[in-house]
Amino acid sequence: MMLSLPVRRALLVALAVSALSSAQAQKKQLTTGQMLKNEPNKIITPLPGFTGWADDSHYIKSANRRPGGNGGGSSVAVDVLTGTETPYTPPVTNMTVSVRDKDVYLKQVDGTETRLTKTADEEQNPTLSPDNSKVAYTFGGNLYILDVASGKQSKITTDGTDVIYNGYASWVYYEEILGRASRYKAFWWSPDSKTLAWMHFDDTQVPMFPLYNSDGQHGFTELTRYPEPGDPNPKVKLAFYNVPANKITWADFNENDDTYLGTPIWSPDGTELWMQWMNRDQNNLKLYAVTPATGTKKEIYDEKQRTWISWFKDVNFLKNNQGFIVMSDKSGWEHIYWYGMDGKLKSQLTTGGYTVTGIQYIDEKNKQVYFTARKENTARVDLYKTNFSGKGLIRLTAGEFNHAVSMSPNGTYFTDTYSNVETPAKTAVYDSKGKLVKDIADSKGTEYGDYEMATTKLIRVKTADGFDLPMTIMLPLNYDPNKKYPVMISIYGGPNAGTVMDTWKYSGMAQWWAKEGMIQVAMDHRASGHFGKVGQNYMYKDLGKWEMADYIEMVKYLRTLSYVDPTKMCITGGSYGGYITAYALTYGADYFTHGIANFGVMDWSLYDTHYTERYMGTPKNNPEGYKSSSVLTYANKLKGVLRIVHGTMDDNVHAQNSIQLINKLMDEGKHFEFMLYPGQRHGFRDKSKAEHQQMETNRFIYQYLLQKPIPAELASK
């Protein structure tokens, strides 16, 4: 239910009264070590790590993890009914291959290893065939197959160069289409091990982008084929190698067509490779069934939208050729659809104004699908099941909580870790009907009520056109409604990439800032995912405008609160969040006073084709959109304190973005701050550089927002 403005204010006042009551009760104060060093405490007990299922009645639990730690310790398999724990080691049922010292090694089930290659340069992505008889890998732009029994290597392709890659992805495909998890791998074994499919990339026409490294006496440049909006993309085609016949067949896709190929999926019997295809405008998605022996293709699925379409993450094939199940947001909301193998729609399993977030289990025997969705509240995820007919929807999780679930292999049970912003997380196991089987763990420690801690509220701010925008607010400790406090807004802001969820978060660092007297805020706009594709469509060819319009509405609300200092309205984020931060301090300069923009896109004509054109089209067909979305356009409006941060070797969002903004700000005679991190990629990976960045962020907060000396604990590593 949407609360009125007076009621929302009353809630925050109630929060303040609660804080004052806590102070009067003289609760214990968190120690510096508890806040800054994650020292053990009895306030919050880390939940065990739940890493999957050993079988349908035993979930896998790892040792307790300290807050902020990496876990560790052995794993146990836990009987869902009795709670009995037995040591668990993942069974080794198959040989594996890996790269070590630049060569490929084969490891047998018994642990013995064999070195399969011996070269000066490194092989990439060695992958066993399903029958374990062969290993495919890429090397020097070419594709190789090695016979495990004989050790014989076969060079499948011969045209590999510095711009031609077989089975190894061009950068924009790795980053935006196949995904970083692919590690550039672009080849796929058929289920019967008789065919190897791969993508062939030609980067000849893709512009070269230089990254400068200052190391050594002379420095050096790293050259990357990086297509920016409107540039030529890599040419891509699909091939099949028939192992028994020693024959290559090319699929019926023309590499000269200005289109994209997506991640393919082998049909269960291996007779077809289902290839995703999309036009350059990314508003038409097709699925083609390709026959490996001939390369001919047959259209299975065709979807068009007025804005953009996302690639299928999964195509779930049903047994006995009963069709396939996929998710699509073509209705304006992400929903589940069942198609026959011929591509004809059998039924839409879910409908309505809510977002399905994932398919958890498909029960083919009973023709039911279990799925998660943001249905009851856009800031919460619940588990549901429904029939293949689209009828009989049942909610399986309960309460006003956000739920993270994991279903057993046969769908008999599921673990559920649930919480909200005011309630520490608990974990329990349930049966497939949603009946509690056993409570597992509670993160609320024995001394949870003994300490004074800042708490968080989730509220909604209504826009003039009807969107109830979600925002979390953490007030300072010992809050005094008669004082004014600075605000720190942490942001990302990209399409369908919201950060506000009704879930428990405990951070010692956040408690520290609350102790120091800072209001901490997170907020999501209409296109963040809370309002489905309906909300996202607002961003089409107009990045920046609607994100900022909604953020400004939320900032206007904050400024109506008597205890908010409107002269200290700070925003920070990285990547897309870096863009939003810089945009806020320029385009939104009347509302945002301070910002730290980390490695952000400052002009969308400088980012890659696939991501940018999905939302913006090209500079040629959307010149006004590119102009209005650029931070550079509004550089003359900067009047607050903006710090710009970038790594010199960022191969994703190039430092060119920040440098061009700096140049524009200089031309406008504007004051700003700039922090350059030598050799750093996108998101600083060097520990010392990351620590330095955090230290400098701390200094910024104390200097401009808290306006007092920075404590020694935060002024150094």
Side-chain angles (χ1 to χ4, degrees), residues 112-164:
T112 58
E113 285 190 318
T114 305
R115 184 178 185 174
L116 299 181
T117 63
K118 189 174 183 180
T119 55
D121 295 320
E122 183 173 324
E123 289 84 6
Q124 299 116 4
N125 296 312
T127 305
L128 276 165
S129 59
D131 65 2
N132 294 331
S133 66
K134 294 173 177 60
V135 178
Y137 60 90
T138 57
F139 179 76
N142 285 308
L143 190 62
Y144 291 75
I145 293 179
L146 186 148
D147 184 81
V148 172
S150 66
K152 179 184 177 183
Q153 298 180 45
S154 300
K155 188 175 183 180
I156 307 305
T157 65
T158 58
D159 62 341
T161 66
D162 61 337
V163 291
I164 302 292

Side-chain angles (χ1 to χ4, degrees), residues 561-629:
L561 304 176
S562 62
Y563 47 82
V564 166
D565 186 345
T567 69
K568 296 182 178 67
M569 196 69 66
C570 186
I571 183 171
T572 185
S575 196
Y576 202 102
Y579 162 65
I580 288 294
T581 297
Y583 202 72
L585 267 290
T586 52
Y587 177 92
D590 292 338
Y591 302 93
F592 299 89
T593 62
H594 299 77
I596 305 175
N598 298 303
F599 36 89
V601 177
M602 301 306 177
D603 187 295
W604 286 105
S605 68
L606 305 180
Y607 197 50
D608 74 57
T609 51
H610 188 269
Y611 184 93
T612 307
E613 292 176 11
R614 181 189 317 158
Y615 309 114
M616 291 291 290
T618 65
K620 183 178 179 180
N621 65 30
N622 184 23
E624 287 304 313
Y626 274 84
K627 180 180 179 181
S628 66
S629 67

Side-chain angles (χ1 to χ4, degrees), residues 16-30:
V17 171
S18 174
L20 287 171
S21 299
S22 296
Q24 292 168 356
Q26 295 184 337
K27 288 188 175 184
K28 296 179 183 179
Q29 301 293 310
L30 291 169

Side-chain angles (χ1 to χ4, degrees), residues 18 20 75 177 306 326 343 352 359 426 465 533 547 627 632 686:
S18 174
L20 287 171
S75 296
I177 300 176
R306 69 174 182 85
V326 292
I359 295 172
K426 296 182 179 181
D465 55 351
K533 188 67 185 301
E547 303 97 292
K627 180 180 179 181
L632 277 62
D686 185 302

Side-chain angles (χ1 to χ4, degrees), residues 282-319:
Q282 299 182 60
N283 55 14
N284 185 194
L285 170 66
K286 295 186 178 185
L287 264 178
Y288 288 104
V290 187
T291 302
T294 62
T296 56
K297 66 181 189 290
K298 176 179 62 177
E299 184 180 303
I300 298 293
Y301 180 90
D302 184 1
E303 177 182 335
K304 296 180 178 69
Q305 292 196 31
R306 69 174 182 85
T307 59
W308 70 87
I309 303 176
S310 298
W311 297 103
F312 285 133
K313 294 183 178 68
D314 295 293
V315 174
N316 301 279
F317 288 105
L318 303 179
K319 297 175 183 177

